[in-house]
Amino acid sequence: QKVHVLPQTVLYIADAETFSGHEECHEQKKARKRNSKETAVALEKLLPKRCQVLGLVTPGIVVTPMGSSSNQPQEIEEGEAGFALLFPKIDGVKIHTFHFSKDLKNRVFDESKFAEAGLKNNPDLRVVLLFGYNSWKSGATRFLHQIVNPLNEKSIILAGGQVESFTSLTSENSSAQPGDACGVVGLAFSGPQIQSATVLLDQDVADERTAEAAMQRLKAANIPEHNTIGFMFACVGRGYRHYKTKRNMEADAFRKFFPNIPLFGFFGHGEIGCDRIVTGNFILRECNDIKDDLLHGYTTVMTLIHLGSTK
């Protein structure tokens, strides 16, 4: 008997070449360049109408090939690649998308929008994945700080990075698409059973030994590995260039310590995240009185998200 599980939330990420590649135009018998909107619409037609969809375009991809969670994760810095994560309804877990775009008329961000998006006054909020877009625009960095700083709490894991663009956000109407604006999109994970941990690989992590030491610290958080996803958000300046032409260094280090956790993510234009130390009862420990620095360059953020035990 076949059992079909419908996705409630979908996160898909592809590199720009994949998303706006070429397809044959039958009328003229020649290839033409697709635009990202066409591709996004075609993908969304494959999914249930009430499904939340967040689609991102990035310079490079980190993916564990389909078939088995123990497959080797791949850092794909050139060439076409992409993946989609389909989250079904999970008891005790709520996942929702959000979008904040910079208001050209108002320099101050209205923080009441956080509560509307479930990012404030939500005691069950555990993890927020944040993705900035159009980061080259004037005021983009300042706007990102306005989003990140109020969420910089010891009870919440924040992770993500700067992407090329976002192509899908089906929880919003089509008129809310960004155009030339800058902003932030993301996924929020709420639920008392969710556990998470994150480590930051800075510029000093530049060889196999130091990369594995970072993964060892992540392993020490003792996050349950069943029903857990790994995310890797790396700078385009890392990868094989950073490791002196040795490819897949960080993904290989992750797999050495987490052989059964699939790893997904991207190479982007800036990273969001920090080191978080997790105690035995999964309360994030206050490391010092200074808030974490969450915005980085030339780093990699590695994150584990455990969605609870499955029946």
Side-chain angles (χ1 to χ4, degrees):
Q1 184 179 358
K2 290 184 178 180
V3 177
H4 297 279
V5 179
L6 291 176
Q8 285 208 331
T9 307
V10 173
L11 170 66
Y12 71 82
I13 304 178
D15 74 285
E17 191 176 347
T18 298
F19 217 77
S20 296
H22 290 81
E23 65 180 9
E24 185 176 307
C25 181
H26 294 293
E27 292 83 8
Q28 298 173 327
K29 297 293 182 183
K30 64 180 182 181
R32 69 177 181 90
K33 194 168 179 63
R34 296 192 307 266
N35 67 51
S36 58
K37 184 67 177 175
E38 289 178 74
T39 310
V41 169
L43 281 171
E44 289 162 21
K45 284 181 178 177
L46 301 174
L47 299 166
K49 284 187 176 180
R50 294 186 180 180
C51 185
Q52 296 185 106
V53 184
L54 175 58
L56 306 173
V57 176
T58 61
I61 297 295
V62 179
V63 61
T64 301
M66 192 170 61
S68 170
S69 62
S70 60
N71 281 349
Q72 178 83 18
Q74 301 291 322
E75 298 176 20
I76 305 173
E77 299 179 62
E78 291 110 10
E80 297 186 10
F83 65 85
L85 295 178
L86 281 66
F87 296 94
K89 179 175 170 51
I90 304 169
D91 289 341
V93 174
K94 182 178 180 182
I95 305 172
H96 62 269
T97 59
F98 59 86
H99 175 210
F100 306 124
S101 59
K102 186 173 181 291
D103 184 351
L104 298 176
K105 298 176 183 176
N106 192 352
R107 286 174 58 84
V108 180
F109 180 73
D110 180 4
E111 291 193 14
S112 68
K113 293 180 180 178
F114 284 126
E116 293 171 19
L119 301 177
K120 280 289 181 184
N121 305 321
N122 179 2
D124 288 334
L125 183 63
R126 295 292 183 268
V127 185
V128 179
L129 298 184
L130 289 165
F131 310 108
Y133 61 86
N134 288 349
S135 58
W136 52 272
K137 296 286 288 186
S138 174
T141 300
R142 182 177 180 276
F143 181 75
L144 183 58
H145 274 286
Q146 290 181 326
I147 303 300
V148 167
N149 290 347
L151 298 175
N152 191 358
E153 299 176 6
K154 295 296 176 183
S155 59
I156 304 170
I157 291 286
L158 266 70
Q162 300 274 18
V163 301
E164 297 266 337
S165 61
F166 83 83
T167 54
S168 293
L169 192 65
T170 53
S171 63
E172 301 230 350
N173 59 46
S174 58
S175 64
Q177 292 301 306
D180 288 331
C182 61
V184 175
V185 294
L187 290 175
F189 294 77
S190 302
Q193 69 200 44
I194 295 173
Q195 298 170 27
S196 183
T198 181
V199 294
L200 179 74
L201 286 66
D202 61 21
Q203 294 182 56
D204 293 337
V205 177
D207 57 29
E208 189 173 12
R209 180 185 63 82
T210 50
E212 290 185 359
M215 299 309 144
Q216 205 160 11
R217 289 192 294 113
L218 189 60
K219 183 82 170 180
N222 288 319
I223 299 296
E225 296 187 18
H226 180 64
N227 205 24
T228 296
I229 307 169
F231 286 99
M232 172 179 163
F233 305 114
C235 178
V236 289
R238 288 182 75 87
Y240 72 88
R241 298 173 188 85
H242 181 69
Y243 289 101
K244 298 179 174 58
T245 72
K246 187 163 185 180
R247 294 180 179 270
N248 229 61
M249 179 77 80
E250 292 174 348
D252 285 348
F254 179 89
R255 186 172 187 262
K256 180 175 180 179
F257 289 90
F258 304 99
N260 296 309
I261 296 180
L263 182 67
F264 301 95
F266 59 76
F267 290 89
H269 301 296
E271 302 75 61
I272 302 169
C274 65
D275 265 35
R276 283 293 173 89
I277 300 170
V278 183
T279 61
N281 59 352
F282 304 108
I283 301 299
L284 297 172
R285 188 162 66 222
E286 187 82 40
C287 303
N288 51 53
D289 294 330
I290 303 170
K291 283 198 169 188
D292 296 305
D293 184 9
L294 291 171
L295 305 184
H296 309 278
Y298 301 103
T299 64
T300 297
V301 175
M302 287 283 191
T303 304
L304 296 176
I305 302 177
H306 171 66
L307 299 171
S309 59
T310 53
K311 296 175 183 177

